Amino acid sequence: MSTADRLIDATRELLWERGYTGTSPKAIQQRAGAGQGSMYHHFAGKQDLALAAIRRTTARMREVAQADLAGPGSAVERIERYLLREREVLRGCPAGRLTQDPDIVASAELRAPVDELFDWLRARLTAVVAEGQAAGELSASLDPRAAGAVIAAAVQGGYVLARAAGTAEPFEQAVRGAVGLVRAAAVRGAATTN
Amino acid sequence: MSTADRLIDATRELLWERGYTGTSPKAIQQRAGAGQGSMYHHFAGKQDLALAAIRRTTARMREVAQADLAGPGSAVERIERYLLREREVLRGCPAGRLTQDPDIVASAELRAPVDELFDWLRARLTAVVAEGQAAGELSASLDPRAAGAVIAAAVQGGYVLARAAGTAEPFEQAVRGAVGLVRAAAVRGAATTN
DNA sequence: GTCTATACCCCGATAGAC
DNA sequence: GTCTATCGGGGTATAGAC
């Protein structure tokens, strides 16, 4: 693994744990086992390195979500697989966390990858809901865009509630609630009778 | 307004905008129009002042939520009033924001007020859902605790998605989705026929 | 109660040797 | 590519005068 890669991964971890403001070049160098000069040789500065780290993190998250949503199963099954996937709840969301950082939100460049990830996620969830409706599996009265957004929000909000509580329980309740509401919107017996 | 009060309110604003790590004593003093010595006369330090600020913020938020949830109207109407209340979406949640700050989550004292606020909120939403079920207004098949958690999470997650997008639209979609799912769980015609 | 002075360390970056 | 030295500024707090 190259020095640049170790620097990027150290930055990813620190951004996740401490955010952009709370992450210093010195801390990155120590975690990566790289010197001052080495870091500034490979990257223009803290922001440049953060950008590389954010891009890598959002790319990975997209792959994972896509595996849940594009895999086998009905629309409801795929949504439940996304909602119920195991997560390191108390560590928070590596991408959602960044949205609370004023320096990231203030920078069009740093915010862009996060924006694109969540925009893609909502669109993807919206599409799966629409597929479920087309298959007669989900009630046609749902607004697919609103349903997609609330599913993504349930996960992100679940992280917030769990970190406030210091336990994963509120997260589990929130995703269970989302699953329950989706099932309530399911057309009864659709999977077998339609 | 006393100097101590101005210091607390300046801290509340800065915690909302920049978080705990991103807020310096100097910035607080400047915003409050107070000197160095003045701040350290009234408060033991940054953490002590932050604690006072967080307590005031969470107390205010609880009052506002209580007004939505304990006011007139059916259970569904009160939940919708909570979900659809006007919010400064792009500024984020003054309390939820704090859960992303490692120094706050790491301190039992600083986390406690945030924990209590969200714990109370979920319990309050759970109670309203249960009231709706008792009144025959909401489907008895809902798990009230899970439903209460996902309603709180929809709002918190809505903030995250909106800040990522740089527009309030994802927040609006998420709360609309939550409203839609609650309505789908409403017993048809319950308000008039039961 | 509020002020200024001072302390010590970290931040983010640059310079230039090797 | 990596190292050490250096820089100007800010973070957080204490001391002691007024």
Side-chain angles (χ1 to χ4, degrees):
Chain A
M1 203 181 193
S2 73
T3 299
D5 275 322
R6 278 186 290 109
L7 284 164
I8 289 175
D9 283 346
T11 305
R12 292 174 64 204
E13 290 176 18
L14 284 163
L15 287 180
W16 190 4
E17 292 168 19
R18 308 201 39 81
Y20 185 79
T21 305
T23 295
S24 69
K26 180 184 231 176
I28 293 169
Q29 293 150 24
Q30 286 174 341
R31 192 169 295 211
Q36 186 94 337
S38 188
M39 181 191 127
Y40 283 100
H41 171 75
H42 291 287
F43 299 94
K46 176 180 169 175
Q47 170 159 347
D48 185 40
L49 183 42
L51 183 56
I54 293 171
R55 283 185 175 146
R56 187 173 291 182
T57 289
T58 54
R60 296 275 184 287
M61 291 184 63
R62 184 164 159 161
E63 290 167 11
V64 173
Q66 175 68 349
D68 290 334
L69 295 172
S74 69
V76 170
E77 284 167 352
R78 283 176 282 152
I79 289 170
E80 290 189 9
R81 186 164 57 215
Y82 171 74
L83 283 168
L84 300 175
R85 185 210 314 154
E86 276 225 26
R87 290 173 169 93
E88 300 182 76
V89 174
L90 288 182
R91 297 184 72 183
C93 174
R97 201 246 165 277
L98 303 172
T99 66
Q100 303 303 321
D101 223 306
D103 295 337
I104 286 183
V105 169
S107 157
E109 224 181 345
L110 290 178
R111 186 171 59 79
V114 186
D115 182 7
E116 284 158 21
L117 171 68
F118 284 119
D119 198 59
W120 170 85
L121 177 63
R122 284 186 295 123
R124 199 71 196 74
L125 287 165
T126 298
V128 175
V129 169
E131 288 170 37
Q133 290 177 317
E137 192 187 342
L138 283 170
S139 163
S141 68
L142 282 184
D143 176 346
R145 279 179 42 86
V150 76
I151 290 165
V155 171
Q156 291 300 315
Y159 280 119
V160 170
L161 299 176
R163 282 178 64 89
T167 136
E169 201 245 344
F171 181 97
E172 310 298 347
Q173 292 284 355
V175 295
R176 190 172 313 159
V179 166
L181 289 171
V182 168
R183 284 189 185 158
V187 175
R188 255 163 252 282
T192 51
T193 64
N194 290 349
Chain B
M1 204 180 194
S2 73
T3 298
D5 275 322
R6 277 184 290 109
L7 283 164
I8 290 174
D9 283 347
T11 306
R12 292 174 63 205
E13 290 176 19
L14 284 163
L15 286 180
W16 191 3
E17 293 168 17
R18 309 201 38 81
Y20 184 80
T21 304
T23 295
S24 69
K26 181 183 232 178
I28 293 170
Q29 293 150 25
Q30 286 174 341
R31 190 168 296 210
Q36 185 95 336
S38 189
M39 181 191 128
Y40 283 101
H41 170 74
H42 292 287
F43 298 94
K46 175 180 170 177
Q47 170 158 349
D48 186 39
L49 183 42
L51 183 57
I54 292 171
R55 283 184 175 148
R56 188 173 288 182
T57 290
T58 53
R60 297 275 184 286
M61 290 185 63
R62 183 163 160 163
E63 289 166 12
V64 173
Q66 174 69 348
D68 290 334
L69 295 171
S74 69
V76 169
E77 283 166 353
R78 283 176 283 151
I79 289 170
E80 290 189 8
R81 188 165 56 217
Y82 171 75
L83 283 168
L84 300 175
R85 185 210 313 153
E86 275 226 23
R87 290 174 169 92
E88 301 182 74
V89 174
L90 288 182
R91 297 184 71 184
C93 175
R97 201 244 165 279
L98 303 172
T99 65
Q100 303 305 320
D101 222 307
D103 295 337
I104 287 184
V105 169
S107 156
E109 225 181 345
L110 290 178
R111 186 172 60 79
V114 186
D115 182 8
E116 284 158 20
L117 171 68
F118 285 119
D119 198 58
W120 170 85
L121 177 62
R122 283 186 294 125
R124 198 71 196 73
L125 286 165
T126 298
V128 175
V129 169
E131 287 170 37
Q133 290 177 317
E137 192 187 343
L138 282 170
S139 163
S141 68
L142 282 185
D143 175 346
R145 279 175 48 81
V150 75
I151 290 164
V155 171
Q156 291 301 315
Y159 280 119
V160 170
L161 299 177
R163 283 178 63 91
T167 136
E169 202 245 343
F171 181 96
E172 309 298 348
Q173 293 284 354
V175 295
R176 190 172 311 159
V179 166
L181 290 171
V182 168
R183 283 190 186 157
V187 176
R188 256 164 250 283
T192 52
T193 63
N194 291 349

